[in-house]
Amino acid sequence: MTTHTKTSIPTRPLGTTGPTVSALGLGCMGMSALYGEADRAESIATIHAALDAGVTLLDTGDFYGMGHNELLINEALRTAPAAARERALTSVKFGALRTMEGGFSGIDGRPAAVKNFLAYSLQRLGTDHIDVYRIARVDPEVPIEETVGAIAELVEAGHVKHIGLSEVGADTLRRAAAVAPIADLQIEYSLISRGIEDKILPTARELGIGVTAYGVLSRGLISGHFTRDRELAPGDFRGFSPRFQGENLDRNLDLVDRLRAVAEAKGVTVAQTAIAWVLAQGPRHGADIVPLVGARRRDRLAEALGALDVTLDAADLAAIEQAVPADAAVGARYPESQMAHLDSER
């Protein structure tokens, strides 16, 4: 297994107008929600380890644990060394409406709501600005121009540094970019989720918009650590995900076994191979794509950072493509009810 030991890691720009960030970002959602109970002390230690390694991009959402995740990041940053804290950049999603029971009840992209969501996030994070601010899903009742326009006003006021988007299609991306500069599009992209390659990724590149890729390990499915007999904790999102169900899971893990053979031939792990593949995609060696890794523990973080030291040549990429062809995965990436909310899937 490759272990990353450097105190600084490569950087990449978020598009032509966004900030320069670490080539890997830390997705913090799993420290608060959707994957069962998390260890608070270990979560904070993992954020500290990421900052110490040179990770600068921390990604969250105001609805992750109904504010819990933002408070967690606040605590982690307050207790981190000053230099690391000053380098950290926050990427925040907003707009998802929650119920008392923890369910999702819609999305709100109205300008007044945008400013309200931000006020609460600034308070929870303990900061006077957010580096990249984005609506989590497009509000079907509010034109994207109005939502982005509201964020642009917050940029002018100094409360937000850059505007991002999440899970939008190519047409929406163009409409948003016509209103204000868009730093990046956050969207699922992995070996088994390659839908953006047809229209969305080329459009982002044409417009000079970066991509922060989440789900690069498909919620652990292609990490090399998920087993067929694993019992998921109550409330774990994967218990409802089509790719983790019955025969779908068996067939998808068959793909992982094939990927494992490629990884072992290189002396690296399955997870490192999958992350390195995303890092290697596109022009300039994928420099416009920043993968987000959802590590909740320091050992998983160390493994993910090791992907930065994995070089995939043409033969490696061909072997990976043969092991896991595009569209080889079985099952949608979200349950049907949630797929309906994805502008990127229309």
Side-chain angles (χ1 to χ4, degrees):
M1 169 177 161
T2 294
T3 302
H4 190 84
T5 57
K6 299 174 185 176
T7 56
S8 63
I9 64 180
T11 59
R12 293 182 171 187
L14 283 188
T16 56
T17 64
T20 295
V21 301
S22 51
L24 282 181
L26 181 63
C28 299
M29 180 189 73
M31 298 176 181
S32 298
L34 298 181
Y35 293 113
E37 291 294 325
D39 183 318
R40 187 179 188 86
E42 181 62 24
S43 295
I44 291 173
T46 300
I47 295 173
H48 286 170
L51 295 172
D52 184 59
V55 172
T56 61
L57 183 62
L58 302 179
D59 183 79
T60 184
D62 63 9
F63 50 93
Y64 292 167
M66 281 88 114
H68 178 279
N69 206 235
E70 290 178 320
L71 292 169
L72 183 77
I73 290 173
N74 181 340
E75 182 178 349
L77 291 176
R78 281 191 292 106
T79 54
R85 182 169 61 249
E86 290 167 5
R87 290 192 301 269
L89 302 174
T90 52
S91 169
V92 179
K93 289 178 290 299
F94 69 88
L97 304 177
R98 305 294 301 270
T99 66
M100 291 291 291
E101 296 74 30
F104 289 87
S105 58
I107 197 82
D108 193 344
R110 295 171 301 152
V114 173
K115 295 170 184 178
N116 180 76
F117 286 129
L118 178 71
Y120 280 79
S121 284
L122 292 175
Q123 178 69 23
R124 284 187 292 258
L125 287 165
T127 184
D128 62 359
H129 75 273
I130 285 170
D131 294 287
V132 188
Y133 202 48
R134 71 187 84 243
I135 192 164
R137 300 287 185 267
V138 175
D139 183 342
E141 304 299 324
V142 179
I144 193 64
E145 290 87 350
E146 293 185 17
T147 302
V148 169
I151 305 175
E153 291 179 9
L154 296 169
V155 172
E156 291 179 8
H159 301 308
V160 171
K161 296 297 183 183
H162 303 279
I163 304 171
L165 291 168
S166 177
E167 286 290 352
V168 304
D171 291 343
T172 303
L173 197 58
R174 289 188 187 281
R175 288 169 52 200
V179 174
I182 305 298
D184 74 314
L185 167 64
Q186 188 172 120
I187 196 162
E188 185 167 358
Y189 186 44
S190 73
L191 264 172
I192 63 171
S193 294
R194 296 174 60 176
I196 71 169
E197 294 177 345
D198 183 22
K199 294 181 180 178
I200 296 174
L201 186 54
T203 301
R205 286 176 169 155
E206 175 193 335
L207 298 172
I209 297 171
V211 170
T212 41
Y214 76 88
V216 292
L217 297 179
S218 197
R219 299 162 185 83
L221 181 59
I222 59 172
S223 67
H225 301 296
F226 203 93
T227 59
R228 287 172 169 80
D229 58 354
R230 179 170 174 175
E231 293 188 9
L232 297 172
D236 191 315
F237 165 83
R238 293 169 292 191
F240 309 97
S241 173
R243 288 183 174 173
F244 288 83
Q245 305 304 311
E247 185 179 332
N248 288 357
L249 177 62
D250 287 336
R251 291 174 61 183
N252 291 331
L253 288 180
D254 285 343
L255 296 173
V256 177
D257 289 339
R258 291 160 59 177
L259 184 61
R260 192 186 313 276
V262 178
E264 290 178 348
K266 284 191 68 68
V268 299
T269 70
V270 174
Q272 288 169 342
T273 305
I275 297 168
W277 181 88
V278 176
L279 282 164
Q281 296 310 298
R284 293 179 292 119
H285 305 290
D288 56 352
I289 300 175
V290 175
L292 300 172
V293 295
R296 300 198 296 171
R297 305 191 326 236
R298 284 167 286 181
D299 59 336
R300 294 287 193 252
L301 172 68
E303 180 184 18
L305 291 174
L308 293 165
D309 297 322
V310 177
T311 300
L312 300 176
D313 60 24
D316 295 325
L317 292 170
I320 292 170
E321 185 78 24
Q322 184 174 12
V324 187
D327 300 322
V330 183
R333 55 194 184 99
Y334 283 100
E336 185 176 350
S337 60
Q338 295 182 37
M339 289 292 286
H341 295 292
L342 296 178
D343 182 77
S344 55
E345 293 289 336
R346 297 194 179 109

